[in-house]
Amino acid sequence: MNVLGIETSCDETSASVLNSDFKILSNVILSQDEIHAPYGGVVPELASRQHLTSIGYVVQECLDRARLKLEKISAFAVTQGPGLIGSLLVGLSFAKGLAFYFAKPLIGIDHLEAHIESAFLENRKIPLPALALVVSGGHTSTFFMKKKLDYKLVGRTRDDAAGEALDKIAKFLDLGYPGGPIIDKLAEKGNPRKFMFALPRMTDGSLDFSFSGLKTAALKLVREHKISKDQPHFFDFLASFEMAVIRALLSNLAQAIELFKPESLVLCGGVARNKKLRHYFTELGQKQSLPFFIPSPEFCTDNAAMVASLGLVKLKSGKKISFSLNLNAYPRSGY
Ligand code: KG4
Ligand code: ZN
């Protein structure tokens, strides 16, 4: 049994094949970073057009690397949402065409659930229940995963996502796109204690996140201290802002641990590539004596291996899954 996964929710065109033992036979990711870089963010119209141009090649390359023909694919798994609607529709329509032609099941996959699944690609025995922090450019959410395919939303951002806040500050300082990895690198040279940021607190006791306040405070500091690339406190500012984002994420997770008493912790999504976040998340896991799991960087970014993997889990679960060709794309999170 081989499952082909397809992911086009944002600005990566990706295809991957897993066999029935969850072994990754291939995972091809084509990034559109260069196309969106001049605009300092993803331009939805350009993203969907580029997916259209790339999807055929990416799927073919994925099959070639796996040394498989399409006839050997037992099911097609595809990201349904949340994401950019035009981008989602390219992957979904392509997968529908394949499923229809080969008369094989089509499995719709939620992008946030797929990010959580990315941790299982390298370790199928993560103790459950787990608390999973999904941090990306479009999402910042914590889930309590009681058992496989059972996700409960614990908290989510009420405004910007963590990655979005990093990207916006980088754009404001004219550092390039995507800003997250650029800040990750430049912040290494700075003192994270130089500038203090007040952490956002929810007054209603919820475990939601908020990053717009941090972003506004950062922009205020930039203006007050005239922060720019050639100014002495430039690196300190980036290190301090990065640390504020990490503290906001992990202090929230620490509260969720108290409340939900999980058996393990998962960190996933594009921002989980951040070196300092990985370091402090590891420290939190050790302090709490909980096993913790962070995917390798290639599986933190949007990829189709996590989509195929969740498709396979669904196929094997024996649960009734709707394999209908009428699957719809959804732009907003259903959680
Ligand atoms: O999961 P992802 O590939 O796409 C979404 O679903 O959004 O995440 C992309 C986000 C971007 O905001 C990018 O700046 C951020 O992940 N990112 C990083 C790093 N690498 C990517 N943020 C901080 N440090 C990094 N090393
Ligand atoms: Zn993502």
Side-chain angles (χ1 to χ4, degrees):
M1 188 159 66
N2 301 304
V3 176
L4 175 76
I6 293 179
E7 153 66 36
T8 63
S9 68
C10 189
D11 62 341
E12 266 91 22
T13 317
S14 180
S16 172
V17 182
L18 263 63
N19 72 11
S20 55
D21 297 325
F22 290 92
K23 183 170 187 281
I24 301 171
L25 303 185
S26 66
N27 183 36
V28 177
I29 306 171
L30 185 62
S31 162
Q32 302 178 359
D33 280 354
E34 275 178 32
I35 290 164
H36 302 290
Y39 306 95
V42 179
V43 183
E45 180 65 23
L46 293 182
S48 49
R49 282 167 190 248
Q50 193 55 39
H51 283 307
L52 264 182
T53 310
S54 313
I55 185 94
Y57 294 106
V58 168
V59 169
Q60 189 59 57
E61 176 69 16
C62 164
L63 291 165
D64 290 349
R65 288 191 198 174
R67 294 177 190 280
L68 283 175
K69 295 244 176 283
L70 271 170
E71 289 77 2
K72 295 278 178 207
I73 300 297
S74 333
F76 298 92
V78 61
T79 309
Q80 250 185 297
L84 301 172
I85 195 72
S87 294
L88 288 164
L89 283 171
V90 175
L92 188 60
S93 309
F94 198 85
K96 275 185 186 180
L98 291 172
F100 179 69
Y101 183 81
F102 291 98
K104 293 285 159 59
L106 175 71
I107 310 165
I109 299 293
D110 182 274
H111 186 62
L112 300 182
E113 293 176 8
H115 268 304
I116 297 172
E117 179 67 20
S118 68
F120 291 81
L121 287 170
E122 294 161 298
N123 194 324
R124 301 245 46 108
K125 297 210 167 89
I126 295 179
L128 298 178
L131 261 180
L133 182 55
V134 187
V135 211
S136 73
H139 313 278
T140 302
S141 305
T142 315
F143 288 89
F144 183 63
M145 186 180 180
K146 213 165 164 189
K147 51 186 187 338
K148 276 305 246 182
L149 299 178
D150 182 344
Y151 316 86
K152 177 185 156 63
L153 180 72
V154 167
R156 66 182 163 83
T157 183
R158 293 194 181 176
D159 36 63
D160 288 352
E164 192 180 354
L166 292 166
D167 292 343
K168 281 180 179 167
I169 292 300
K171 183 179 179 185
F172 192 76
L173 290 170
D174 207 12
L175 303 182
Y177 171 84
I182 297 169
I183 292 182
D184 187 355
K185 200 153 187 296
L186 296 177
E188 277 173 27
K189 301 185 199 165
N191 171 10
R193 290 176 209 283
K194 175 73 191 169
F195 297 98
M196 279 328 228
F197 288 87
L199 286 194
R201 290 251 174 270
M202 289 299 147
T203 46
D204 58 3
S206 94
L207 287 167
D208 281 350
F209 299 90
S210 168
F211 291 96
S212 72
L214 272 185
K215 191 186 63 190
T216 310
L219 293 177
K220 199 162 159 260
L221 273 177
V222 168
R223 289 197 187 98
E224 271 172 17
H225 294 263
K226 300 195 172 34
I227 306 280
S228 67
K229 278 184 219 171
D230 36 34
Q231 196 253 7
H233 290 313
F234 174 65
F235 297 110
D236 296 339
F237 168 78
L238 292 180
S240 302
F241 180 63
E242 177 190 58
M243 190 52 84
V245 170
I246 293 171
R247 279 172 49 226
L249 290 168
L250 296 185
S251 67
N252 186 302
L253 184 63
Q255 284 180 54
I257 295 171
E258 287 292 307
L259 226 66
F260 286 87
K261 313 227 176 307
E263 294 295 324
S264 67
L265 301 176
V266 167
L267 176 68
C268 54
V271 181
R273 293 173 70 109
N274 182 274
K275 289 190 286 296
K276 259 190 228 116
L277 177 59
R278 294 171 87 91
H279 171 80
Y280 287 107
F281 179 82
T282 300
E283 206 178 80
L284 178 67
Q286 286 166 345
K287 221 186 271 169
Q288 302 269 358
S289 305
L290 282 171
F292 54 90
F293 302 88
I294 319 173
S296 301
E298 64 177 299
F299 298 125
C300 291
T301 310
D302 287 348
N303 68 86
M306 64 190 191
V307 176
S309 180
L310 191 52
L312 194 56
V313 171
K314 287 191 171 184
L315 264 184
K316 288 185 164 197
S317 71
K319 272 193 189 164
K320 216 173 138 23
I321 305 166
S322 159
F323 293 132
S324 160
L325 284 178
N326 294 329
L327 287 185
N328 279 325
Y330 50 88
R332 303 215 170 279
S333 174
Y335 284 98

